[in-house]
């Protein structure tokens, strides 16, 4: 080994990023693409990327603002911050102003900054999105997993939160709550959020409410915990999921007034790292957050397609022996194959990582193991993102079906053949002897 490489390795081993690997979602996407380039047939249910195009009025705005070349303020374009504050007021009745909004290059980056500036423990109900814990680990924060049960819809209970906090009531903590959930597709009822809010307020827990899938609640009636705990909740959102613009990298945080000090600290770190979020994207995002009938139409159709497809996939997997709650939002399912454990053991599949590896190698279906979402390795669970289809085509086809008519199996097989075939293949593979 050359001496420069040797020296670099030693430095690397001394950092607390030791043992870090690339994000599971990013890695499965790149691996799936590489396999496709080699000519393999791959069903891409790994990365959770919206299948739908960015709504055309938002694309038009981006086109019109391509010339915007100046650095913007680190906290974000004032017009966008105002549009985001209006949006949360309109949708959730949350009383914030322009001042309370922070814009960043993706909500993922903003979450990282929050964990960096907040000296406290990070509470993560599991199953949870793949990057919350690695972010805490990079920074060196204490992580506390709060495992949830399939039987209770993978929802954190108020009793569980209280039990955790009462051992050391004054400890500073951030609770990350994500609903509709990545990876389960489930969400909380208003009553459940009210109860959780009471416990969070009692122990002064900061709630990072990751509502990036809020607009993809299938009934269009997403409720934020900020309604019941406005003084302690930060709402995280962005363009990536409901606006089909993951690659645009635009995230938003809405702070309560009492947490302005956290916002200020994050903005300072932002000014020393990313400087400002892309200017043309911010100008275009104003249009997205202002909404209007064209964007609402788009969302109604997107929810309709996702709801029908998600429920079909869940039903098909259940019939194949998995346990999978019917989804309520987003574009994920988190099936548990424990009921097939004996059958799978006979085929030398003992944990979720082996399950997903074998699935990819033997069927071409790419999904992620439950262990990447904070579950024990032996739980035979997996996350699948039912997004491998042409979203533009699906929206156009759904528009032709009367709103009171369900989108049935033949429709789904026509507009999302890769997804339906992948689910068939999974079910067949699981039941092969
Ligand atoms: N949130 C998406 C997922 O869970 C992809 C983006 C990411 O992980 O950074 O698949």
């Amino acid at each position: 080994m050359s001496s420069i490489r040797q020296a670099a390795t030693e430095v690397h081993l001394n950092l607390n990023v030791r043992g870090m690997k690339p994000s599971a979602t990013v890695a499965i996407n790149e691996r799936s693409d590489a396999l496709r380039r080699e000519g393999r047939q791959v069903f891409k249910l790994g990365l959770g990327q919206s299948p739908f195009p960015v709504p055309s009025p938002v694309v038009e705005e981006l086109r019109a603002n391509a010339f915007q070349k100046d650095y913007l303020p680190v906290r974000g374009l004032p017009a966008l911050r105002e549009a985001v504050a209006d949006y949360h007021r309109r949708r959730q009745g949350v009383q914030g102003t322009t001042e309370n909004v922070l814009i960043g290059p993706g909500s993922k980056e903003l979450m990282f900054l929050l964990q960096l500036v907040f000296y406290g423990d990070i509470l993560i109900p599991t199953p949870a999105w793949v990057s919350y814990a690695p972010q805490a680990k990079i920074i060196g924060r204490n992580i506390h997993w709060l495992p949830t049960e399939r039987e209770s819809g993978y929802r954190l209970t108020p009793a569980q939160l209280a039990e955790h906090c009462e051992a050391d009531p004054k400890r500073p903590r951030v609770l990350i709550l994500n609903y509709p959930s990545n990876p389960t597709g489930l969400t909380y009822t208003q009553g459940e959020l009210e109860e959780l809010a009471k416990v969070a307020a009692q122990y002064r827990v900061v709630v990072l409410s990751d509502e990036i899938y809020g607009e993809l609640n299938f009934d269009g009636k997403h409720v934020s915990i900020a309604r019941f705990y406005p003084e302690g909740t930060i709402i995280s959102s962005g363009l990536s999921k409901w606006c089909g613009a993951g690659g645009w990298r635009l995230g938003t945080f809405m702070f309560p007034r009492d947490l302005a000090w956290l916002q200020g600290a994050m903005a300072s770190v932002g000014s020393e790292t990313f400087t400002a979020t892309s200017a043309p994207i911010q100008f275009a995002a104003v249009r997205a957050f202002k909404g209007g009938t064209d964007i609402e139409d788009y969302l109604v159709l997107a929810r309709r397609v996702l709801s029908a497809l998600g429920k079909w996939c869940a039903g098909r997997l259940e019939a194949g022996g998995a346990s999978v709650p019917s989804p309520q939002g987003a574009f994920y399912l988190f099936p548990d194959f424990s009921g097939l454990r004996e059958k799978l053991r006979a085929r030398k599949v003992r944990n979720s990582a082996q399950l997903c590896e074998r699935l990819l190698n033997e069927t071409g279906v790419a999904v992620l193991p439950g262990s990447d979402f904070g579950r024990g390795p032996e739980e035979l669970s997996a996350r699948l993102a039912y997004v491998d289809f042409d979203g533009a085509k699906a929206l156009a086809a759904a528009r032709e079906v009367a709103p009171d008519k369900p989108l049935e199996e033949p429709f789904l097989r026509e507009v999302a053949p890769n997804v339906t075939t992948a689910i068939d293949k999974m079910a067949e593979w699981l039941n092969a002897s």
Side-chain angles (χ1 to χ4, degrees):
M1 192 188 286
S2 73
S3 59
I4 184 70
R5 186 156 159 217
Q6 174 76 40
T9 310
E10 282 166 15
V11 170
H12 179 71
L13 289 177
N14 286 327
L15 294 174
N16 64 2
V17 295
R18 183 172 39 180
M20 292 295 303
K21 49 186 178 60
S23 160
T25 50
V26 175
I28 189 73
N29 193 44
E30 293 180 5
R31 185 168 169 209
S32 304
D33 287 342
L35 288 170
R36 274 190 181 172
R37 279 196 299 276
E38 282 169 19
R40 285 267 317 268
Q41 185 182 34
V42 177
F43 301 90
K44 289 184 61 178
L45 311 192
L47 179 74
Q49 159 156 279
S50 167
F52 303 114
V54 179
S56 45
V58 183
V59 173
E60 284 310 316
E61 252 341 270
L62 181 60
R63 197 169 279 132
N65 281 285
F67 73 94
Q68 303 280 2
K69 60 160 206 51
D70 289 346
Y71 293 113
L72 291 176
V74 59
R75 290 178 187 231
L77 176 71
L80 176 58
R81 295 172 70 203
E82 189 184 335
V84 171
D86 280 351
Y87 165 84
H88 287 301
R89 203 175 310 121
R90 207 169 62 235
R91 305 295 283 184
Q92 297 297 333
V94 172
Q95 295 304 320
T97 67
T98 308
E99 284 302 298
N100 309 119
V101 175
L102 182 63
I103 307 296
S107 56
K108 191 171 183 174
E109 186 64 24
L110 292 176
M111 288 170 191
F112 183 76
L113 293 189
L114 175 70
Q115 298 198 37
L116 189 71
V117 301
F118 184 86
Y119 287 78
D121 290 357
I122 310 295
L123 311 187
I124 310 177
T126 72
W129 175 54
V130 298
S131 289
Y132 302 129
Q135 289 192 345
K137 200 171 150 205
I138 292 169
I139 297 165
R141 297 278 174 258
N142 286 331
I143 302 166
H144 292 281
W145 298 110
L146 302 174
T148 65
E149 306 293 330
R150 177 163 34 108
E151 294 69 28
S152 44
Y154 295 110
R155 286 182 265 265
L156 176 70
T157 64
Q160 218 179 341
L161 180 60
E163 194 188 336
H164 177 84
C165 295
E166 70 201 3
D168 187 354
K170 294 239 157 76
R171 207 175 170 79
R173 299 179 169 97
V174 175
L175 166 67
I176 304 182
L177 217 54
N178 168 225
Y179 54 100
S181 154
N182 173 6
T184 66
L186 301 176
T187 193
Y188 290 86
T189 63
Q190 175 164 333
E192 288 163 343
L193 292 173
E194 285 178 75
E195 293 307 310
L196 281 171
K198 278 186 205 152
V199 179
Q202 182 185 348
Y203 293 101
R204 304 178 311 172
V205 176
V206 172
V207 176
L208 172 58
S209 186
D210 182 353
E211 303 180 27
I212 193 92
Y213 301 99
E215 290 291 355
L216 297 182
N217 188 323
F218 297 156
D219 65 10
K221 294 191 186 123
H222 173 71
V223 176
S224 171
I225 192 170
R227 288 195 195 178
F228 317 113
Y229 183 34
E231 71 279 20
T233 303
I234 302 168
I235 306 178
S236 174
S237 186
L239 294 186
S240 299
K241 310 302 180 184
W242 63 270
C243 200
W248 287 22
R249 310 309 303 129
L250 184 121
T252 66
F253 266 22
M254 175 89 206
F255 290 84
R257 265 181 215 99
D258 292 351
L259 296 181
W261 60 277
L262 266 181
Q263 184 187 5
M266 286 172 63
S268 299
V269 181
S271 75
E272 301 289 15
T273 51
F274 61 80
T275 306
T277 303
S278 159
I281 299 294
Q282 291 201 61
F283 280 92
V286 175
R287 180 67 183 80
F289 281 98
K290 279 198 168 152
T293 47
D294 36 12
I295 292 183
E296 202 41 51
D297 285 353
Y298 162 94
L299 283 171
V300 166
L301 286 173
R303 290 177 194 131
R304 202 167 155 215
V305 170
L306 291 174
S307 166
L309 187 58
K311 287 172 185 163
W312 181 86
C313 293
R316 177 82 179 87
L317 288 171
E318 279 263 341
S323 169
V324 45
S326 193
Q328 299 166 305
F331 34 65
Y332 304 108
L333 294 175
F334 195 68
D336 185 332
F337 303 105
S338 300
L340 301 169
R341 187 176 293 280
E342 291 314 315
K343 253 184 171 175
L344 289 166
R345 195 200 304 272
R347 290 158 69 197
K348 300 196 167 45
V349 174
R350 293 195 170 78
N351 58 46
S352 60
Q354 288 171 348
L355 174 76
C356 295
E357 197 56 34
R358 291 277 298 275
L359 260 175
L360 179 58
N361 290 336
E362 294 171 28
T363 67
V365 179
V367 297
L368 286 170
S371 52
D372 283 336
F373 296 80
R375 304 298 277 189
E378 65 299 329
E379 179 183 275
L380 290 175
S381 55
R383 185 199 78 169
L384 55 92
Y386 48 92
V387 296
D388 188 359
F389 63 97
D390 179 339
K393 187 175 150 199
L395 293 181
R399 202 183 289 282
E400 299 306 313
V401 182
D404 57 336
K405 292 264 175 330
L407 304 178
E408 286 173 342
E409 182 167 330
F411 175 94
L412 299 171
R413 289 197 178 275
E414 171 71 28
V415 302
N418 273 5
V419 174
T420 52
T421 306
I423 300 294
D424 288 340
K425 281 182 179 278
M426 272 179 86
E428 281 157 24
W429 184 87
L430 287 161
N431 285 287
S433 40

